[in-house]
C-alpha cells in the first residue's frame, strides 16, 4: 500500500493519477477539512495538459478564467513586457487558467473516492520496521503500517525533516499578501494577468471568476509572517498609493478576513528526494518562490511522472530514482529562475536599465522559453 501524506495540490493530483492507473493508495491530511487555502492560482499549460489526462480540464476551464495576455508593467501600468498568449493557445490548445485554489482542490477531491482520504491525520513521525514496512505515528497517537510513504506535505514537510534533517528553508527577503476582491474588473483587464513593479514592491492581478479578482501584493521586508496589522487594508492601500488606482480599488473591495499573509520562502535544493521506500513530491521536495507561477504546476507534474513510473515498476521504490532523474533538471531551473526574477523585480538600484532591457527582450526569445517550460512528455 502507498500512503500519501498531505492532500494539497500535489497529494490530491497523485491520488487521482494513481486512481486512474488502478494503483492502491491512501491519503492522510492533517486538517479536518480540505481548507480554502490561498486565494487564486495560475495553472499554466503544463499543469493543464496533466489535468486534461486526469479528466478534469473542462471543470477547471468552466470554473476559472483564461489568461490570454501576460503583462509586466510599471507601477502606473505602463507595459514593460506584454505577451499575447495566442502562440501558447496555438501550440497547446489553451492558455493559462486562473482559478480559486479552493475550486481547484474541490474539483480534484470530487474525483477521488471519499474513503481514500483520511482527514485530521497529522503525521508526527515514521519508523522503518522492515525493508518494506514503515510505521507511521500521527499526532492523535494512532498508528498505521504501510509499504511505501510519499511526503506531499508542503514546504514545512515533516517527512522531509525526518528524512533529511539538515535541509534549509530559505527566506527570500519578501513577504506577500493575497486576496480576492468581490468586484468585476474592466473588460480590458478580464483576460489579462498583470504584475506591476514599483519601488521594491509589486502588485499582481488576475480575474479568476465572475466578480472575483485575485490579487497579490509583495514587499521587500524582514521575515515577518507573524506580524499583526491592525488595519491591513489601510496599510496596503497606503503602501501602494503611488500605483494605478485599480490597486486601491481591489484592496478596498476585499473582505479583510480573507486576506492571507505569508513570507516567501523556498528550500535549498535537496541532493535526493527519496530514501529506500520513502519519496517526496511537490513543495516538500523542491519548493520554489512563486515568481514563475510554477510551484503548483510542478507538484502536478510530479504526480503525473511518478504515478506512471510506479505503474511501470514491479518494485515501487525502483521508480523513485527514475522519478528524480526525470524531474530534477527542470525543477532546479525553476527554483533558480524564480529566485532571480524575484530579485530583478525588487531591484533597489538600476531600475531604469532593467526596464529598458525588459522592453527590448525579443518576443521570440521569451516565447521559446515559455514553450519549453510548458512541454510535457506524452509517451510516458
Ligand atoms: C504567494 C504564492 C503564490 C503562488 N502562486 C502560484 C501560481 O500561481 N501557480 C502555481 O502553480 N503555484 C503557485 N504557488 C506555489 C504553490 O502554491 C505550491 O507550489 C503548491 O501549493 C505546492 O503543492 P503541495 O501539494 O506540494 O503542497 P501544499 O499545497 O502546501 O499542500 C501540503 C498539504 O499537506 C498537508 N500537511 C502538512 N503537514 C502535514 C502532516 N504532518 N500530516 C499530514 N498532512 C500534512 C497540508 O495541510 C496541505 O494540505 C504560489 C505560492 C505562493 C506562496
Amino acid at each position: 500500500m502507498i500512503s500519501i501524506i498531505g492532500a494539497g495540490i500535489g497529494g490530491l493530483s497523485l491520488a487521482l493519477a494513481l486512481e486512474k492507473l488502478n494503483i492502491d493508495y491512501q491519503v492522510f491530511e492533517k486538517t479536518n477539512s480540505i481548507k480554502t487555502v490561498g486565494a487564486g492560482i495560475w495553472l499554466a499549460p503544463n499543469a493543464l495538459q496533466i489535468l486534461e489526462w486526469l479528466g478534469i480540464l473542462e471543470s477547471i476551464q468552466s470554473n476559472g478564467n483564461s489568461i490570454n495576455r501576460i503583462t509586466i508593467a510599471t507601477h502606473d501600468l505602463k507595459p514593460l513586457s506584454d505577451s499575447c498568449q495566442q502562440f501558447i493557445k496555438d501550440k497547446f490548445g489553451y492558455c493559462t487558467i486562473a482559478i480559486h485554489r479552493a475550486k481547484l482542490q474541490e474539483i480534484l477531491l470530487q474525483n477521488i473516492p471519499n474513503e481514500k482520504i483520511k482527514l485530521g491525520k497529522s503525521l508526527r513521525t515514521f519508523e522503518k520496521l522492515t525493508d518494506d514496512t514503515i510505521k507511521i505515528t500521527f499526532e492523535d497517537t494512532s498508528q498505521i503500517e504501510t509499504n511505501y510513504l510519499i511526503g506531499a506535505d508542503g514546504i514545512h514537510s515533516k517527512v522531509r525533516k525526518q528524512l533529511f534533517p539538515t535541509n534549509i528553508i530559505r527566506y527570500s527577503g519578501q513577504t506577500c499578501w493575497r486576496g480576492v476582491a468581490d468586484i468585476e474588473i474592466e473588460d480590458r483587464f478580464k483576460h489579462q494577468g498583470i504584475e506591476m513593479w514599483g519601488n521594491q514592491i509589486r502588485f499582481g492581478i488576475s480575474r479568476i471568476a465572475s466578480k472575483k479578482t485575485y490579487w497579490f501584493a509583495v514587499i521587500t521586508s524582514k521575515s515577518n509572517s507573524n506580524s499583526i496589522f491592525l488595519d491591513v487594508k489601510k496599510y496596503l492601500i497606503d503602501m501602494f498609493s503611488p500605483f494605478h488606482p485599480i490597486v486601491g480599488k481591489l484592496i478596498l473591495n476585499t473582505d479583510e478576513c480573507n486576506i492571507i499573509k505569508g513570507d516567501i520562502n523556498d528550500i535549498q535544493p535537496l541532493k535526493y528526494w527519496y530514501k529506500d521506500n520513502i519519496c517526496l513530491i511537490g513543495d516538500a521536495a523542491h519548493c520554489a518562490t512563486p515568481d514563475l507561477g510554477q510551484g503548483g504546476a510542478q507538484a502536478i507534474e510530479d504526480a503525473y511522472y511518478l504515478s506512471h513510473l510506479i505503474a511501470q515498476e514491479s518494485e515501487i521504490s525502483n521508480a523513485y530514482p527514475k522519478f528524480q532523474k526525470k524531474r530534477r533538471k527542470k525543477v532546479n531551473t525553476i527554483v533558480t529562475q524564480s529566485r532571480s526574477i524575484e530579485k530583478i523585480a525588487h531591484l533597489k538600484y538600476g531600475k531604469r536599465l532593467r526596464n529598458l532591457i525588459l522592453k527590448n527582450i525579443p518576443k521570440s526569445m521569451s516565447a521559446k522559453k515559455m514553450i519549453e517550460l510548458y512541454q510535457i512528455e506524452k509517451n510516458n
Side-chain angles (χ1 to χ4, degrees), residues 331-350:
V331 159
N332 283 354
T333 306
I334 288 170
V335 170
T336 310
Q337 285 181 355
S338 295
R339 280 177 80 83
S340 312
I341 294 173
E342 164 201 87
K343 287 194 172 54
I344 293 168
H346 283 219
L347 269 187
K348 194 167 180 184
Y349 306 107

Side-chain angles (χ1 to χ4, degrees), residues 316-331:
I316 288 178
S317 48
N318 287 344
Y320 298 167
K322 293 181 182 168
F323 162 65
Q324 174 169 338
K325 190 162 182 254
K326 192 177 269 297
R327 298 284 297 127
R328 194 188 175 104
K329 192 168 168 230
K330 180 170 186 179
V331 159

Side-chain angles (χ1 to χ4, degrees), residues 5-11 28-31 35 41-42 101 121-123 152-155 158 176 178 214 281-284 290 293-297 299:
I5 305 297
I9 296 172
F28 297 93
E29 164 58 41
K30 75 171 176 188
T31 56
K35 50 181 182 177
I41 187 164
W42 281 26
R101 274 175 190 255
K121 289 285 172 195
S122 180
L123 174 138
D153 48 346
I155 182 168
K158 280 199 176 165
C176 173
R178 286 175 282 171
Y214 164 50
I281 64 163
D283 277 8
Q294 273 289 320

Side-chain angles (χ1 to χ4, degrees), residues 181-193:
D182 297 315
I183 48 168
E184 196 54 275
I185 46 173
E186 288 171 45
D187 279 354
R188 64 186 171 128
F189 298 134
K190 270 190 176 163
H191 295 287
Q192 194 174 4

